[in-house]
Amino acid sequence: MAPRGRKRKAEAAMVAAAEKQEKLANSGEGMEEATVVIEHCTSCRVYGRNAAALSQALRLEAPELPVKVNPTKPRRGSFEVTLLRPDGSSAELWTGIKKGPPRKLKFPEPQEVVEELKKYLS
């Protein structure tokens, strides 16, 4: 006879996952302005330093745009910069996932991303 606890745990996990997805979907609905999202892997300190320098450059160039760093759990080895528009669409400003080795190719120069941002905002 199978233990009873497993089935309930599996159902509870499925319900929790569904609620989490709904919460994430609803959090973007009320967005009235564009947002820049930087997703970087937390396994290496180099990622964090580059993300901090990039977010600072973006805030200096476009102070009206909010910049969020890792709003959700980042993927392993990722470094991406995305512009989320108020209409729900998104534009990828930089992705370093497929770049490298060497590792330094994964990280953009802040000025490159600022130039891409200006293209999408104008």
PDB file of all heavy atoms in Angstrom, residues 85-115:
ATOM      1  N   ARG A  85       8.668  46.534 -21.269  1.00  0.00           N
ATOM      2  CA  ARG A  85       7.838  47.683 -21.647  1.00  0.00           C
ATOM      3  C   ARG A  85       6.504  47.635 -20.933  1.00  0.00           C
ATOM      4  O   ARG A  85       6.046  46.573 -20.503  1.00  0.00           O
ATOM      5  CB  ARG A  85       7.631  47.671 -23.153  1.00  0.00           C
ATOM      6  CG  ARG A  85       8.923  47.833 -23.913  1.00  0.00           C
ATOM      7  CD  ARG A  85       8.639  47.945 -25.393  1.00  0.00           C
ATOM      8  NE  ARG A  85       9.865  48.061 -26.147  1.00  0.00           N
ATOM      9  CZ  ARG A  85      10.251  47.198 -27.067  1.00  0.00           C
ATOM     10  NH1 ARG A  85       9.504  46.148 -27.353  1.00  0.00           N
ATOM     11  NH2 ARG A  85      11.375  47.374 -27.720  1.00  0.00           N
ATOM     12  N   PRO A  86       5.824  48.790 -20.821  1.00  0.00           N
ATOM     13  CA  PRO A  86       4.525  48.825 -20.126  1.00  0.00           C
ATOM     14  C   PRO A  86       3.451  47.960 -20.786  1.00  0.00           C
ATOM     15  O   PRO A  86       2.549  47.481 -20.119  1.00  0.00           O
ATOM     16  CB  PRO A  86       4.124  50.296 -20.170  1.00  0.00           C
ATOM     17  CG  PRO A  86       5.377  51.044 -20.435  1.00  0.00           C
ATOM     18  CD  PRO A  86       6.285  50.123 -21.185  1.00  0.00           C
ATOM     19  N   ASP A  87       3.555  47.734 -22.106  1.00  0.00           N
ATOM     20  CA  ASP A  87       2.543  46.934 -22.791  1.00  0.00           C
ATOM     21  C   ASP A  87       2.742  45.432 -22.592  1.00  0.00           C
ATOM     22  O   ASP A  87       1.988  44.622 -23.121  1.00  0.00           O
ATOM     23  CB  ASP A  87       2.506  47.274 -24.282  1.00  0.00           C
ATOM     24  CG  ASP A  87       3.816  46.963 -24.990  1.00  0.00           C
ATOM     25  OD1 ASP A  87       4.769  46.512 -24.326  1.00  0.00           O
ATOM     26  OD2 ASP A  87       3.887  47.186 -26.224  1.00  0.00           O
ATOM     27  N   GLY A  88       3.774  45.052 -21.831  1.00  0.00           N
ATOM     28  CA  GLY A  88       3.998  43.645 -21.536  1.00  0.00           C
ATOM     29  C   GLY A  88       5.059  43.000 -22.411  1.00  0.00           C
ATOM     30  O   GLY A  88       5.494  41.885 -22.140  1.00  0.00           O
ATOM     31  N   SER A  89       5.497  43.672 -23.460  1.00  0.00           N
ATOM     32  CA  SER A  89       6.534  43.113 -24.314  1.00  0.00           C
ATOM     33  C   SER A  89       7.905  43.355 -23.683  1.00  0.00           C
ATOM     34  O   SER A  89       8.050  44.157 -22.762  1.00  0.00           O
ATOM     35  CB  SER A  89       6.476  43.733 -25.707  1.00  0.00           C
ATOM     36  OG  SER A  89       6.754  45.117 -25.633  1.00  0.00           O
ATOM     37  N   SER A  90       8.899  42.663 -24.179  1.00  0.00           N
ATOM     38  CA  SER A  90      10.243  42.844 -23.653  1.00  0.00           C
ATOM     39  C   SER A  90      11.242  42.882 -24.797  1.00  0.00           C
ATOM     40  O   SER A  90      11.014  42.308 -25.862  1.00  0.00           O
ATOM     41  CB  SER A  90      10.600  41.716 -22.685  1.00  0.00           C
ATOM     42  OG  SER A  90      10.639  40.486 -23.371  1.00  0.00           O
ATOM     43  N   ALA A  91      12.339  43.579 -24.564  1.00  0.00           N
ATOM     44  CA  ALA A  91      13.416  43.680 -25.543  1.00  0.00           C
ATOM     45  C   ALA A  91      14.713  43.302 -24.848  1.00  0.00           C
ATOM     46  O   ALA A  91      15.038  43.839 -23.800  1.00  0.00           O
ATOM     47  CB  ALA A  91      13.494  45.089 -26.100  1.00  0.00           C
ATOM     48  N   GLU A  92      15.441  42.378 -25.437  1.00  0.00           N
ATOM     49  CA  GLU A  92      16.687  41.928 -24.846  1.00  0.00           C
ATOM     50  C   GLU A  92      17.805  42.891 -25.262  1.00  0.00           C
ATOM     51  O   GLU A  92      18.109  43.038 -26.437  1.00  0.00           O
ATOM     52  CB  GLU A  92      17.000  40.522 -25.335  1.00  0.00           C
ATOM     53  CG  GLU A  92      18.034  39.833 -24.512  1.00  0.00           C
ATOM     54  CD  GLU A  92      18.074  38.367 -24.853  1.00  0.00           C
ATOM     55  OE1 GLU A  92      18.834  38.022 -25.761  1.00  0.00           O
ATOM     56  OE2 GLU A  92      17.330  37.597 -24.221  1.00  0.00           O
ATOM     57  N   LEU A  93      18.387  43.562 -24.281  1.00  0.00           N
ATOM     58  CA  LEU A  93      19.460  44.509 -24.549  1.00  0.00           C
ATOM     59  C   LEU A  93      20.816  43.814 -24.618  1.00  0.00           C
ATOM     60  O   LEU A  93      21.692  44.232 -25.358  1.00  0.00           O
ATOM     61  CB  LEU A  93      19.494  45.593 -23.464  1.00  0.00           C
ATOM     62  CG  LEU A  93      18.212  46.397 -23.276  1.00  0.00           C
ATOM     63  CD1 LEU A  93      18.363  47.359 -22.120  1.00  0.00           C
ATOM     64  CD2 LEU A  93      17.848  47.138 -24.543  1.00  0.00           C
ATOM     65  N   TRP A  94      20.991  42.751 -23.844  1.00  0.00           N
ATOM     66  CA  TRP A  94      22.249  42.012 -23.841  1.00  0.00           C
ATOM     67  C   TRP A  94      22.017  40.622 -23.289  1.00  0.00           C
ATOM     68  O   TRP A  94      21.257  40.445 -22.346  1.00  0.00           O
ATOM     69  CB  TRP A  94      23.287  42.712 -22.959  1.00  0.00           C
ATOM     70  CG  TRP A  94      24.539  41.912 -22.785  1.00  0.00           C
ATOM     71  CD1 TRP A  94      24.815  41.038 -21.768  1.00  0.00           C
ATOM     72  CD2 TRP A  94      25.665  41.871 -23.644  1.00  0.00           C
ATOM     73  NE1 TRP A  94      26.050  40.488 -21.947  1.00  0.00           N
ATOM     74  CE2 TRP A  94      26.594  40.979 -23.094  1.00  0.00           C
ATOM     75  CE3 TRP A  94      25.988  42.523 -24.838  1.00  0.00           C
ATOM     76  CZ2 TRP A  94      27.812  40.716 -23.698  1.00  0.00           C
ATOM     77  CZ3 TRP A  94      27.205  42.255 -25.424  1.00  0.00           C
ATOM     78  CH2 TRP A  94      28.102  41.371 -24.854  1.00  0.00           C
ATOM     79  N   THR A  95      22.640  39.633 -23.889  1.00  0.00           N
ATOM     80  CA  THR A  95      22.659  38.300 -23.321  1.00  0.00           C
ATOM     81  C   THR A  95      24.067  37.756 -23.428  1.00  0.00           C
ATOM     82  O   THR A  95      24.700  37.840 -24.471  1.00  0.00           O
ATOM     83  CB  THR A  95      21.655  37.346 -23.992  1.00  0.00           C
ATOM     84  OG1 THR A  95      21.718  36.087 -23.331  1.00  0.00           O
ATOM     85  CG2 THR A  95      21.896  37.165 -25.460  1.00  0.00           C
ATOM     86  N   GLY A  96      24.569  37.239 -22.338  1.00  0.00           N
ATOM     87  CA  GLY A  96      25.905  36.678 -22.311  1.00  0.00           C
ATOM     88  C   GLY A  96      25.883  35.181 -22.091  1.00  0.00           C
ATOM     89  O   GLY A  96      26.917  34.578 -21.821  1.00  0.00           O
ATOM     90  N   ILE A  97      24.711  34.575 -22.214  1.00  0.00           N
ATOM     91  CA  ILE A  97      24.580  33.153 -21.910  1.00  0.00           C
ATOM     92  C   ILE A  97      25.425  32.299 -22.855  1.00  0.00           C
ATOM     93  O   ILE A  97      26.122  31.406 -22.433  1.00  0.00           O
ATOM     94  CB  ILE A  97      23.101  32.727 -21.941  1.00  0.00           C
ATOM     95  CG1 ILE A  97      22.386  33.362 -20.766  1.00  0.00           C
ATOM     96  CG2 ILE A  97      22.962  31.218 -21.909  1.00  0.00           C
ATOM     97  CD1 ILE A  97      20.918  33.058 -20.687  1.00  0.00           C
ATOM     98  N   LYS A  98      25.392  32.586 -24.139  1.00  0.00           N
ATOM     99  CA  LYS A  98      26.107  31.758 -25.106  1.00  0.00           C
ATOM    100  C   LYS A  98      27.523  32.265 -25.391  1.00  0.00           C
ATOM    101  O   LYS A  98      28.210  31.711 -26.224  1.00  0.00           O
ATOM    102  CB  LYS A  98      25.313  31.696 -26.406  1.00  0.00           C
ATOM    103  CG  LYS A  98      23.922  31.156 -26.213  1.00  0.00           C
ATOM    104  CD  LYS A  98      23.652  30.041 -27.139  1.00  0.00           C
ATOM    105  CE  LYS A  98      22.215  29.606 -26.945  1.00  0.00           C
ATOM    106  NZ  LYS A  98      22.067  28.219 -26.827  1.00  0.00           N
ATOM    107  N   LYS A  99      27.936  33.314 -24.729  1.00  0.00           N
ATOM    108  CA  LYS A  99      29.254  33.878 -24.980  1.00  0.00           C
ATOM    109  C   LYS A  99      30.293  33.247 -24.062  1.00  0.00           C
ATOM    110  O   LYS A  99      29.997  32.806 -22.975  1.00  0.00           O
ATOM    111  CB  LYS A  99      29.226  35.386 -24.772  1.00  0.00           C
ATOM    112  CG  LYS A  99      28.325  36.079 -25.770  1.00  0.00           C
ATOM    113  CD  LYS A  99      28.494  37.556 -25.677  1.00  0.00           C
ATOM    114  CE  LYS A  99      27.697  38.390 -26.587  1.00  0.00           C
ATOM    115  NZ  LYS A  99      26.948  37.877 -27.620  1.00  0.00           N
ATOM    116  N   GLY A 100      31.552  33.268 -24.513  1.00  0.00           N
ATOM    117  CA  GLY A 100      32.656  32.747 -23.721  1.00  0.00           C
ATOM    118  C   GLY A 100      32.956  31.313 -24.103  1.00  0.00           C
ATOM    119  O   GLY A 100      32.200  30.703 -24.831  1.00  0.00           O
ATOM    120  N   PRO A 101      34.008  30.701 -23.648  1.00  0.00           N
ATOM    121  CA  PRO A 101      35.089  31.275 -22.889  1.00  0.00           C
ATOM    122  C   PRO A 101      35.937  32.204 -23.746  1.00  0.00           C
ATOM    123  O   PRO A 101      35.900  32.061 -24.950  1.00  0.00           O
ATOM    124  CB  PRO A 101      35.872  30.072 -22.401  1.00  0.00           C
ATOM    125  CG  PRO A 101      35.537  28.958 -23.317  1.00  0.00           C
ATOM    126  CD  PRO A 101      34.219  29.289 -23.933  1.00  0.00           C
ATOM    127  N   PRO A 102      36.659  33.088 -23.201  1.00  0.00           N
ATOM    128  CA  PRO A 102      36.868  33.393 -21.807  1.00  0.00           C
ATOM    129  C   PRO A 102      35.647  34.054 -21.189  1.00  0.00           C
ATOM    130  O   PRO A 102      34.809  34.629 -21.885  1.00  0.00           O
ATOM    131  CB  PRO A 102      38.070  34.337 -21.804  1.00  0.00           C
ATOM    132  CG  PRO A 102      38.013  34.997 -23.118  1.00  0.00           C
ATOM    133  CD  PRO A 102      37.444  33.972 -24.068  1.00  0.00           C
ATOM    134  N   ARG A 103      35.590  33.988 -19.881  1.00  0.00           N
ATOM    135  CA  ARG A 103      34.427  34.454 -19.132  1.00  0.00           C
ATOM    136  C   ARG A 103      34.140  35.934 -19.340  1.00  0.00           C
ATOM    137  O   ARG A 103      33.005  36.373 -19.314  1.00  0.00           O
ATOM    138  CB  ARG A 103      34.627  34.171 -17.652  1.00  0.00           C
ATOM    139  CG  ARG A 103      33.502  34.673 -16.808  1.00  0.00           C
ATOM    140  CD  ARG A 103      33.681  34.267 -15.400  1.00  0.00           C
ATOM    141  NE  ARG A 103      32.866  33.084 -15.233  1.00  0.00           N
ATOM    142  CZ  ARG A 103      32.822  32.376 -14.128  1.00  0.00           C
ATOM    143  NH1 ARG A 103      33.561  32.693 -13.115  1.00  0.00           N
ATOM    144  NH2 ARG A 103      32.033  31.334 -14.042  1.00  0.00           N
ATOM    145  N   LYS A 104      35.179  36.735 -19.572  1.00  0.00           N
ATOM    146  CA  LYS A 104      34.970  38.175 -19.696  1.00  0.00           C
ATOM    147  C   LYS A 104      34.076  38.529 -20.881  1.00  0.00           C
ATOM    148  O   LYS A 104      33.507  39.616 -20.927  1.00  0.00           O
ATOM    149  CB  LYS A 104      36.297  38.922 -19.785  1.00  0.00           C
ATOM    150  CG  LYS A 104      37.051  38.716 -21.079  1.00  0.00           C
ATOM    151  CD  LYS A 104      38.314  39.535 -21.079  1.00  0.00           C
ATOM    152  CE  LYS A 104      39.023  39.402 -22.417  1.00  0.00           C
ATOM    153  NZ  LYS A 104      40.237  40.195 -22.453  1.00  0.00           N
ATOM    154  N   LEU A 105      33.910  37.632 -21.841  1.00  0.00           N
ATOM    155  CA  LEU A 105      33.021  37.894 -22.977  1.00  0.00           C
ATOM    156  C   LEU A 105      31.556  37.891 -22.571  1.00  0.00           C
ATOM    157  O   LEU A 105      30.716  38.409 -23.290  1.00  0.00           O
ATOM    158  CB  LEU A 105      33.251  36.862 -24.079  1.00  0.00           C
ATOM    159  CG  LEU A 105      34.620  36.886 -24.741  1.00  0.00           C
ATOM    160  CD1 LEU A 105      34.718  35.783 -25.760  1.00  0.00           C
ATOM    161  CD2 LEU A 105      34.897  38.233 -25.366  1.00  0.00           C
ATOM    162  N   LYS A 106      31.238  37.286 -21.422  1.00  0.00           N
ATOM    163  CA  LYS A 106      29.851  37.240 -20.956  1.00  0.00           C
ATOM    164  C   LYS A 106      29.332  38.601 -20.519  1.00  0.00           C
ATOM    165  O   LYS A 106      28.140  38.829 -20.468  1.00  0.00           O
ATOM    166  CB  LYS A 106      29.707  36.285 -19.771  1.00  0.00           C
ATOM    167  CG  LYS A 106      29.718  34.843 -20.141  1.00  0.00           C
ATOM    168  CD  LYS A 106      29.430  34.014 -18.913  1.00  0.00           C
ATOM    169  CE  LYS A 106      29.183  32.592 -19.246  1.00  0.00           C
ATOM    170  NZ  LYS A 106      27.890  32.314 -19.822  1.00  0.00           N
ATOM    171  N   PHE A 107      30.237  39.507 -20.153  1.00  0.00           N
ATOM    172  CA  PHE A 107      29.839  40.777 -19.569  1.00  0.00           C
ATOM    173  C   PHE A 107      29.986  41.905 -20.572  1.00  0.00           C
ATOM    174  O   PHE A 107      31.044  42.069 -21.177  1.00  0.00           O
ATOM    175  CB  PHE A 107      30.684  41.073 -18.330  1.00  0.00           C
ATOM    176  CG  PHE A 107      30.754  39.911 -17.395  1.00  0.00           C
ATOM    177  CD1 PHE A 107      31.929  39.228 -17.190  1.00  0.00           C
ATOM    178  CD2 PHE A 107      29.621  39.485 -16.731  1.00  0.00           C
ATOM    179  CE1 PHE A 107      31.995  38.154 -16.338  1.00  0.00           C
ATOM    180  CE2 PHE A 107      29.664  38.414 -15.874  1.00  0.00           C
ATOM    181  CZ  PHE A 107      30.851  37.745 -15.677  1.00  0.00           C
ATOM    182  N   PRO A 108      28.954  42.721 -20.722  1.00  0.00           N
ATOM    183  CA  PRO A 108      29.035  43.828 -21.684  1.00  0.00           C
ATOM    184  C   PRO A 108      29.746  45.035 -21.082  1.00  0.00           C
ATOM    185  O   PRO A 108      29.831  45.187 -19.863  1.00  0.00           O
ATOM    186  CB  PRO A 108      27.570  44.159 -21.929  1.00  0.00           C
ATOM    187  CG  PRO A 108      26.917  43.858 -20.621  1.00  0.00           C
ATOM    188  CD  PRO A 108      27.648  42.644 -20.096  1.00  0.00           C
ATOM    189  N   GLU A 109      30.230  45.871 -21.947  1.00  0.00           N
ATOM    190  CA  GLU A 109      30.675  47.181 -21.506  1.00  0.00           C
ATOM    191  C   GLU A 109      29.403  47.974 -21.217  1.00  0.00           C
ATOM    192  O   GLU A 109      28.451  47.920 -22.009  1.00  0.00           O
ATOM    193  CB  GLU A 109      31.498  47.868 -22.591  1.00  0.00           C
ATOM    194  CG  GLU A 109      32.845  47.240 -22.831  1.00  0.00           C
ATOM    195  CD  GLU A 109      33.745  47.345 -21.615  1.00  0.00           C
ATOM    196  OE1 GLU A 109      33.707  48.388 -20.927  1.00  0.00           O
ATOM    197  OE2 GLU A 109      34.473  46.377 -21.346  1.00  0.00           O
ATOM    198  N   PRO A 110      29.341  48.697 -20.109  1.00  0.00           N
ATOM    199  CA  PRO A 110      28.114  49.440 -19.786  1.00  0.00           C
ATOM    200  C   PRO A 110      27.662  50.376 -20.909  1.00  0.00           C
ATOM    201  O   PRO A 110      26.466  50.523 -21.146  1.00  0.00           O
ATOM    202  CB  PRO A 110      28.489  50.213 -18.527  1.00  0.00           C
ATOM    203  CG  PRO A 110      29.540  49.391 -17.881  1.00  0.00           C
ATOM    204  CD  PRO A 110      30.317  48.794 -19.011  1.00  0.00           C
ATOM    205  N   GLN A 111      28.613  50.956 -21.628  1.00  0.00           N
ATOM    206  CA  GLN A 111      28.247  51.892 -22.691  1.00  0.00           C
ATOM    207  C   GLN A 111      27.509  51.194 -23.827  1.00  0.00           C
ATOM    208  O   GLN A 111      26.618  51.773 -24.444  1.00  0.00           O
ATOM    209  CB  GLN A 111      29.500  52.603 -23.208  1.00  0.00           C
ATOM    210  CG  GLN A 111      29.231  53.952 -23.801  1.00  0.00           C
ATOM    211  CD  GLN A 111      28.457  54.879 -22.868  1.00  0.00           C
ATOM    212  OE1 GLN A 111      28.629  54.870 -21.656  1.00  0.00           O
ATOM    213  NE2 GLN A 111      27.566  55.654 -23.430  1.00  0.00           N
ATOM    214  N   GLU A 112      27.854  49.930 -24.110  1.00  0.00           N
ATOM    215  CA  GLU A 112      27.162  49.167 -25.156  1.00  0.00           C
ATOM    216  C   GLU A 112      25.681  48.998 -24.810  1.00  0.00           C
ATOM    217  O   GLU A 112      24.807  49.172 -25.661  1.00  0.00           O
ATOM    218  CB  GLU A 112      27.783  47.776 -25.309  1.00  0.00           C
ATOM    219  CG  GLU A 112      29.140  47.748 -25.922  1.00  0.00           C
ATOM    220  CD  GLU A 112      29.669  46.329 -26.011  1.00  0.00           C
ATOM    221  OE1 GLU A 112      28.865  45.395 -26.272  1.00  0.00           O
ATOM    222  OE2 GLU A 112      30.883  46.146 -25.818  1.00  0.00           O
ATOM    223  N   VAL A 113      25.408  48.654 -23.563  1.00  0.00           N
ATOM    224  CA  VAL A 113      24.024  48.431 -23.136  1.00  0.00           C
ATOM    225  C   VAL A 113      23.259  49.753 -23.116  1.00  0.00           C
ATOM    226  O   VAL A 113      22.089  49.806 -23.498  1.00  0.00           O
ATOM    227  CB  VAL A 113      23.990  47.746 -21.756  1.00  0.00           C
ATOM    228  CG1 VAL A 113      22.567  47.556 -21.278  1.00  0.00           C
ATOM    229  CG2 VAL A 113      24.693  46.413 -21.820  1.00  0.00           C
ATOM    230  N   VAL A 114      23.916  50.833 -22.715  1.00  0.00           N
ATOM    231  CA  VAL A 114      23.269  52.147 -22.707  1.00  0.00           C
ATOM    232  C   VAL A 114      22.885  52.551 -24.123  1.00  0.00           C
ATOM    233  O   VAL A 114      21.783  53.073 -24.366  1.00  0.00           O
ATOM    234  CB  VAL A 114      24.196  53.198 -22.050  1.00  0.00           C
ATOM    235  CG1 VAL A 114      23.682  54.601 -22.286  1.00  0.00           C
ATOM    236  CG2 VAL A 114      24.317  52.935 -20.555  1.00  0.00           C
ATOM    237  N   GLU A 115      23.752  52.291 -25.104  1.00  0.00           N
ATOM    238  CA  GLU A 115      23.445  52.592 -26.495  1.00  0.00           C
ATOM    239  C   GLU A 115      22.239  51.782 -26.983  1.00  0.00           C
ATOM    240  O   GLU A 115      21.370  52.299 -27.683  1.00  0.00           O
ATOM    241  CB  GLU A 115      24.662  52.341 -27.382  1.00  0.00           C
ATOM    242  CG  GLU A 115      25.821  53.285 -27.129  1.00  0.00           C
ATOM    243  CD  GLU A 115      25.454  54.734 -27.330  1.00  0.00           C
ATOM    244  OE1 GLU A 115      24.730  55.072 -28.279  1.00  0.00           O
ATOM    245  OE2 GLU A 115      25.890  55.570 -26.501  1.00  0.00           O
TER     246      GLU A 115
END
